mmCIF file of all heavy atoms in Angstrom:
data_model
loop_
_atom_site.group_PDB
_atom_site.id
_atom_site.type_symbol
_atom_site.label_atom_id
_atom_site.label_comp_id
_atom_site.label_asym_id
_atom_site.label_seq_id
_atom_site.Cartn_x
_atom_site.Cartn_y
_atom_site.Cartn_z
ATOM 1 N N LEU A 1 44.958 20.108 82.838
ATOM 2 C CA LEU A 1 43.520 20.790 82.973
ATOM 3 C C LEU A 1 43.536 22.035 82.165
ATOM 4 O O LEU A 1 44.278 22.979 82.454
ATOM 5 C CB LEU A 1 43.348 21.028 84.416
ATOM 6 C CG LEU A 1 43.073 19.811 85.329
ATOM 7 C CD1 LEU A 1 42.919 20.214 86.692
ATOM 8 C CD2 LEU A 1 41.956 18.886 84.865
ATOM 9 N N ALA A 2 42.659 22.028 81.188
ATOM 10 C CA ALA A 2 42.514 23.198 80.266
ATOM 11 C C ALA A 2 41.335 24.060 80.560
ATOM 12 O O ALA A 2 40.211 23.500 80.769
ATOM 13 C CB ALA A 2 42.524 22.765 78.833
ATOM 14 N N VAL A 3 41.473 25.337 80.676
ATOM 15 C CA VAL A 3 40.380 26.304 80.732
ATOM 16 C C VAL A 3 40.877 27.471 79.986
ATOM 17 O O VAL A 3 41.979 27.688 79.535
ATOM 18 C CB VAL A 3 39.992 26.695 82.220
ATOM 19 C CG1 VAL A 3 39.520 25.570 83.039
ATOM 20 C CG2 VAL A 3 41.153 27.510 82.951
ATOM 21 N N ASP A 4 39.836 28.362 79.771
ATOM 22 C CA ASP A 4 40.092 29.722 79.098
ATOM 23 C C ASP A 4 40.697 30.606 80.188
ATOM 24 O O ASP A 4 40.146 30.919 81.204
ATOM 25 C CB ASP A 4 38.797 30.386 78.715
ATOM 26 C CG ASP A 4 38.951 31.681 78.161
ATOM 27 O OD1 ASP A 4 40.064 32.285 78.136
ATOM 28 O OD2 ASP A 4 37.907 32.275 77.750
ATOM 29 N N PRO A 5 41.979 31.027 79.993
ATOM 30 C CA PRO A 5 42.688 31.717 81.070
ATOM 31 C C PRO A 5 42.190 33.171 81.286
ATOM 32 O O PRO A 5 42.550 33.799 82.227
ATOM 33 C CB PRO A 5 44.189 31.823 80.595
ATOM 34 C CG PRO A 5 44.029 31.686 79.130
ATOM 35 C CD PRO A 5 42.879 30.791 78.810
ATOM 36 N N VAL A 6 41.403 33.676 80.385
ATOM 37 C CA VAL A 6 40.709 34.959 80.592
ATOM 38 C C VAL A 6 39.378 34.870 81.302
ATOM 39 O O VAL A 6 38.930 35.848 81.811
ATOM 40 C CB VAL A 6 40.489 35.531 79.121
ATOM 41 C CG1 VAL A 6 39.894 36.981 79.193
ATOM 42 C CG2 VAL A 6 41.825 35.760 78.348
ATOM 43 N N ASN A 7 38.846 33.727 81.470
ATOM 44 C CA ASN A 7 37.644 33.422 82.264
ATOM 45 C C ASN A 7 37.993 33.167 83.693
ATOM 46 O O ASN A 7 38.451 32.063 84.008
ATOM 47 C CB ASN A 7 36.895 32.277 81.634
ATOM 48 C CG ASN A 7 35.519 32.069 82.275
ATOM 49 O OD1 ASN A 7 35.398 32.236 83.525
ATOM 50 N ND2 ASN A 7 34.563 31.629 81.539
ATOM 51 N N LEU A 8 37.903 34.237 84.484
ATOM 52 C CA LEU A 8 38.391 34.161 85.906
ATOM 53 C C LEU A 8 37.617 33.015 86.731
ATOM 54 O O LEU A 8 38.201 32.485 87.591
ATOM 55 C CB LEU A 8 38.391 35.507 86.572
ATOM 56 C CG LEU A 8 39.291 36.571 85.940
ATOM 57 C CD1 LEU A 8 39.289 37.852 86.698
ATOM 58 C CD2 LEU A 8 40.671 35.993 85.834
ATOM 59 N N HIS A 9 36.356 32.901 86.449
ATOM 60 C CA HIS A 9 35.591 31.868 87.072
ATOM 61 C C HIS A 9 36.142 30.495 86.787
ATOM 62 O O HIS A 9 36.267 29.675 87.675
ATOM 63 C CB HIS A 9 34.106 31.946 86.731
ATOM 64 C CG HIS A 9 33.279 30.804 87.297
ATOM 65 N ND1 HIS A 9 33.031 30.738 88.707
ATOM 66 C CD2 HIS A 9 32.668 29.694 86.772
ATOM 67 C CE1 HIS A 9 32.265 29.646 88.961
ATOM 68 N NE2 HIS A 9 32.081 29.132 87.862
ATOM 69 N N ALA A 10 36.517 30.204 85.575
ATOM 70 C CA ALA A 10 37.050 28.941 85.068
ATOM 71 C C ALA A 10 38.490 28.768 85.704
ATOM 72 O O ALA A 10 38.759 27.705 86.180
ATOM 73 C CB ALA A 10 37.224 28.834 83.625
ATOM 74 N N VAL A 11 39.199 29.818 85.807
ATOM 75 C CA VAL A 11 40.659 29.695 86.473
ATOM 76 C C VAL A 11 40.341 29.436 87.857
ATOM 77 O O VAL A 11 41.206 28.531 88.477
ATOM 78 C CB VAL A 11 41.331 31.112 86.298
ATOM 79 C CG1 VAL A 11 42.635 31.136 87.058
ATOM 80 C CG2 VAL A 11 41.719 31.333 84.759
ATOM 81 N N GLU A 12 39.443 29.995 88.508
ATOM 82 C CA GLU A 12 39.241 29.790 89.970
ATOM 83 C C GLU A 12 38.894 28.292 90.230
ATOM 84 O O GLU A 12 39.212 27.747 91.293
ATOM 85 C CB GLU A 12 38.192 30.766 90.514
ATOM 86 C CG GLU A 12 38.173 30.807 92.022
ATOM 87 C CD GLU A 12 39.592 31.286 92.631
ATOM 88 O OE1 GLU A 12 40.147 32.261 92.008
ATOM 89 O OE2 GLU A 12 39.999 30.745 93.549
ATOM 90 N N GLN A 13 38.113 27.764 89.293
ATOM 91 C CA GLN A 13 37.723 26.308 89.418
ATOM 92 C C GLN A 13 38.922 25.400 89.532
ATOM 93 O O GLN A 13 38.927 24.436 90.258
ATOM 94 C CB GLN A 13 36.843 25.881 88.175
ATOM 95 C CG GLN A 13 35.451 26.423 88.134
ATOM 96 C CD GLN A 13 34.749 25.859 86.971
ATOM 97 O OE1 GLN A 13 34.346 24.633 86.985
ATOM 98 N NE2 GLN A 13 34.541 26.591 85.940
ATOM 99 N N ILE A 14 40.001 25.734 88.743
ATOM 100 C CA ILE A 14 41.171 24.852 88.775
ATOM 101 C C ILE A 14 41.842 24.928 90.138
ATOM 102 O O ILE A 14 42.302 23.976 90.728
ATOM 103 C CB ILE A 14 42.167 25.254 87.629
ATOM 104 C CG1 ILE A 14 41.623 24.757 86.357
ATOM 105 C CG2 ILE A 14 43.572 24.661 87.876
ATOM 106 C CD1 ILE A 14 42.465 24.868 85.160
ATOM 107 N N TYR A 15 41.848 26.164 90.675
ATOM 108 C CA TYR A 15 42.603 26.500 91.957
ATOM 109 C C TYR A 15 41.847 25.656 93.013
ATOM 110 O O TYR A 15 42.398 25.068 93.889
ATOM 111 C CB TYR A 15 42.675 27.832 92.253
ATOM 112 C CG TYR A 15 43.805 28.626 91.611
ATOM 113 C CD1 TYR A 15 43.709 29.223 90.477
ATOM 114 C CD2 TYR A 15 45.108 28.579 92.289
ATOM 115 C CE1 TYR A 15 44.806 29.890 89.899
ATOM 116 C CE2 TYR A 15 46.193 29.248 91.736
ATOM 117 C CZ TYR A 15 46.006 29.839 90.540
ATOM 118 O OH TYR A 15 47.148 30.477 89.936
ATOM 119 N N GLN A 16 40.486 25.583 92.944
ATOM 120 C CA GLN A 16 39.666 24.926 93.945
ATOM 121 C C GLN A 16 39.727 23.511 93.827
ATOM 122 O O GLN A 16 39.921 22.687 94.791
ATOM 123 C CB GLN A 16 38.248 25.433 93.876
ATOM 124 C CG GLN A 16 38.038 26.866 94.265
ATOM 125 C CD GLN A 16 36.615 27.291 94.044
ATOM 126 O OE1 GLN A 16 35.831 26.516 93.723
ATOM 127 N NE2 GLN A 16 36.316 28.520 94.304
ATOM 128 N N LEU A 17 39.787 22.972 92.512
ATOM 129 C CA LEU A 17 39.872 21.545 92.214
ATOM 130 C C LEU A 17 41.142 20.928 92.726
ATOM 131 O O LEU A 17 41.136 19.843 93.322
ATOM 132 C CB LEU A 17 39.790 21.355 90.668
ATOM 133 C CG LEU A 17 39.980 19.942 90.214
ATOM 134 C CD1 LEU A 17 38.874 18.943 90.661
ATOM 135 C CD2 LEU A 17 39.988 19.966 88.620
ATOM 136 N N LYS A 18 42.298 21.602 92.534
ATOM 137 C CA LYS A 18 43.620 21.126 92.906
ATOM 138 C C LYS A 18 44.076 21.614 94.241
ATOM 139 O O LYS A 18 45.049 21.213 94.749
ATOM 140 C CB LYS A 18 44.587 21.483 91.876
ATOM 141 C CG LYS A 18 44.396 20.900 90.513
ATOM 142 C CD LYS A 18 45.616 20.994 89.661
ATOM 143 C CE LYS A 18 46.769 20.317 90.244
ATOM 144 N NZ LYS A 18 47.967 20.078 89.408
ATOM 145 N N THR A 19 43.164 22.317 94.949
ATOM 146 C CA THR A 19 43.608 23.015 96.185
ATOM 147 C C THR A 19 45.008 23.559 96.061
ATOM 148 O O THR A 19 45.886 23.445 96.895
ATOM 149 C CB THR A 19 43.584 22.026 97.412
ATOM 150 O OG1 THR A 19 44.420 21.011 97.170
ATOM 151 C CG2 THR A 19 42.161 21.498 97.669
ATOM 152 N N ARG A 20 45.120 24.254 94.885
ATOM 153 C CA ARG A 20 46.425 24.862 94.569
ATOM 154 C C ARG A 20 46.699 26.185 95.243
ATOM 155 O O ARG A 20 45.742 26.957 95.432
ATOM 156 C CB ARG A 20 46.442 25.111 93.020
ATOM 157 C CG ARG A 20 47.869 25.636 92.373
ATOM 158 C CD ARG A 20 47.713 25.717 90.957
ATOM 159 N NE ARG A 20 48.893 26.318 90.297
ATOM 160 C CZ ARG A 20 49.860 25.450 89.995
ATOM 161 N NH1 ARG A 20 49.868 24.227 90.087
ATOM 162 N NH2 ARG A 20 50.964 26.073 89.391
ATOM 163 N N GLN A 21 47.829 26.399 95.680
ATOM 164 C CA GLN A 21 48.229 27.609 96.394
ATOM 165 C C GLN A 21 47.886 28.728 95.473
ATOM 166 O O GLN A 21 48.312 28.843 94.323
ATOM 167 C CB GLN A 21 49.662 27.624 96.817
ATOM 168 C CG GLN A 21 49.925 26.595 97.945
ATOM 169 C CD GLN A 21 51.380 26.511 98.299
ATOM 170 O OE1 GLN A 21 52.274 26.859 97.509
ATOM 171 N NE2 GLN A 21 51.666 26.080 99.517
ATOM 172 N N GLN A 22 47.248 29.797 96.004
ATOM 173 C CA GLN A 22 46.814 31.032 95.251
ATOM 174 C C GLN A 22 47.906 31.770 94.697
ATOM 175 O O GLN A 22 47.681 32.535 93.606
ATOM 176 C CB GLN A 22 45.923 31.919 96.115
ATOM 177 C CG GLN A 22 44.588 31.257 96.634
ATOM 178 C CD GLN A 22 43.592 30.897 95.482
ATOM 179 O OE1 GLN A 22 43.492 31.802 94.541
ATOM 180 N NE2 GLN A 22 42.984 29.800 95.469
ATOM 181 N N HIS A 23 49.059 31.749 95.169
ATOM 182 C CA HIS A 23 50.226 32.505 94.664
ATOM 183 C C HIS A 23 50.936 31.858 93.467
ATOM 184 O O HIS A 23 51.910 32.427 92.920
ATOM 185 C CB HIS A 23 51.222 32.851 95.781
ATOM 186 C CG HIS A 23 51.983 31.658 96.208
ATOM 187 N ND1 HIS A 23 51.558 30.754 97.196
ATOM 188 C CD2 HIS A 23 53.261 31.238 95.897
ATOM 189 C CE1 HIS A 23 52.360 29.855 97.422
ATOM 190 N NE2 HIS A 23 53.386 30.123 96.650
ATOM 191 N N LYS A 24 50.526 30.576 93.127
ATOM 192 C CA LYS A 24 51.265 29.803 92.124
ATOM 193 C C LYS A 24 50.556 30.015 90.833
ATOM 194 O O LYS A 24 49.410 29.564 90.621
ATOM 195 C CB LYS A 24 51.334 28.335 92.481
ATOM 196 C CG LYS A 24 52.217 28.058 93.695
ATOM 197 C CD LYS A 24 52.213 26.534 94.089
ATOM 198 C CE LYS A 24 52.921 25.770 92.961
ATOM 199 N NZ LYS A 24 53.052 24.297 93.366
ATOM 200 N N PRO A 25 51.192 30.684 89.834
ATOM 201 C CA PRO A 25 50.504 30.913 88.563
ATOM 202 C C PRO A 25 50.319 29.590 87.696
ATOM 203 O O PRO A 25 50.990 28.694 87.953
ATOM 204 C CB PRO A 25 51.393 31.798 87.744
ATOM 205 C CG PRO A 25 52.772 31.634 88.368
ATOM 206 C CD PRO A 25 52.524 31.219 89.850
ATOM 207 N N LEU A 26 49.357 29.601 86.842
ATOM 208 C CA LEU A 26 49.044 28.453 85.950
ATOM 209 C C LEU A 26 49.960 28.653 84.650
ATOM 210 O O LEU A 26 49.953 29.675 84.105
ATOM 211 C CB LEU A 26 47.568 28.355 85.527
ATOM 212 C CG LEU A 26 46.676 28.154 86.862
ATOM 213 C CD1 LEU A 26 45.194 28.319 86.352
ATOM 214 C CD2 LEU A 26 46.884 26.927 87.414
ATOM 215 N N SER A 27 50.558 27.530 84.193
ATOM 216 C CA SER A 27 51.166 27.616 82.844
ATOM 217 C C SER A 27 50.168 27.498 81.813
ATOM 218 O O SER A 27 49.057 27.023 82.019
ATOM 219 C CB SER A 27 52.276 26.404 82.827
ATOM 220 O OG SER A 27 51.597 25.174 82.932
ATOM 221 N N LEU A 28 50.589 28.020 80.638
ATOM 222 C CA LEU A 28 49.740 28.075 79.475
ATOM 223 C C LEU A 28 50.332 27.389 78.327
ATOM 224 O O LEU A 28 51.488 27.457 78.092
ATOM 225 C CB LEU A 28 49.530 29.592 79.083
ATOM 226 C CG LEU A 28 48.761 30.482 80.169
ATOM 227 C CD1 LEU A 28 48.702 31.943 79.570
ATOM 228 C CD2 LEU A 28 47.480 29.890 80.646
ATOM 229 N N LEU A 29 49.381 26.714 77.548
ATOM 230 C CA LEU A 29 49.876 26.158 76.296
ATOM 231 C C LEU A 29 49.461 27.059 75.205
ATOM 232 O O LEU A 29 48.429 27.554 75.122
ATOM 233 C CB LEU A 29 49.178 24.730 76.084
ATOM 234 C CG LEU A 29 49.431 23.627 77.064
ATOM 235 C CD1 LEU A 29 48.637 22.365 76.746
ATOM 236 C CD2 LEU A 29 50.919 23.386 77.190
ATOM 237 N N ILE A 30 50.452 27.218 74.268
ATOM 238 C CA ILE A 30 50.327 28.016 73.104
ATOM 239 C C ILE A 30 50.698 27.261 71.869
ATOM 240 O O ILE A 30 51.069 26.158 71.889
ATOM 241 C CB ILE A 30 51.118 29.350 73.184
ATOM 242 C CG1 ILE A 30 52.605 28.956 73.368
ATOM 243 C CG2 ILE A 30 50.699 30.244 74.350
ATOM 244 C CD1 ILE A 30 53.573 30.171 73.471
ATOM 245 N N ALA A 31 50.402 27.815 70.705
ATOM 246 C CA ALA A 31 50.639 27.134 69.439
ATOM 247 C C ALA A 31 51.930 27.542 68.659
ATOM 248 O O ALA A 31 52.320 26.868 67.822
ATOM 249 C CB ALA A 31 49.411 27.348 68.522
ATOM 250 N N SER A 32 52.502 28.750 69.107
ATOM 251 C CA SER A 32 53.676 29.243 68.317
ATOM 252 C C SER A 32 54.459 30.207 69.223
ATOM 253 O O SER A 32 53.906 30.935 70.141
ATOM 254 C CB SER A 32 53.219 29.832 67.042
ATOM 255 O OG SER A 32 52.368 31.102 67.227
ATOM 256 N N LEU A 33 55.728 30.638 68.709
ATOM 257 C CA LEU A 33 56.412 31.671 69.252
ATOM 258 C C LEU A 33 55.660 32.973 69.134
ATOM 259 O O LEU A 33 55.722 33.792 69.987
ATOM 260 C CB LEU A 33 57.857 31.749 68.727
ATOM 261 C CG LEU A 33 58.759 32.837 69.216
ATOM 262 C CD1 LEU A 33 58.959 32.829 70.680
ATOM 263 C CD2 LEU A 33 60.123 32.744 68.427
#
């Protein structure tokens, strides 16, 4: 599930969608070192 990690409303949508525990950070995909 991809969202803009700087958009806190979008980030919150993922936590609600997955009923994910609030203390568990989301991993990020990047393009390079």
Side-chain angles (χ1 to χ4, degrees):
L1 294 176
V3 299
D4 175 358
V6 180
N7 185 325
L8 296 184
H9 176 70
V11 169
E12 199 58 41
Q13 286 186 74
I14 287 186
Y15 278 92
Q16 292 175 5
L17 172 66
K18 294 197 59 169
T19 60
R20 186 179 177 86
Q21 294 176 331
Q22 295 290 321
H23 69 277
K24 295 179 68 174
L26 301 172
S27 61
L28 301 181
L29 298 181
I30 56 177
S32 65
L33 177 59

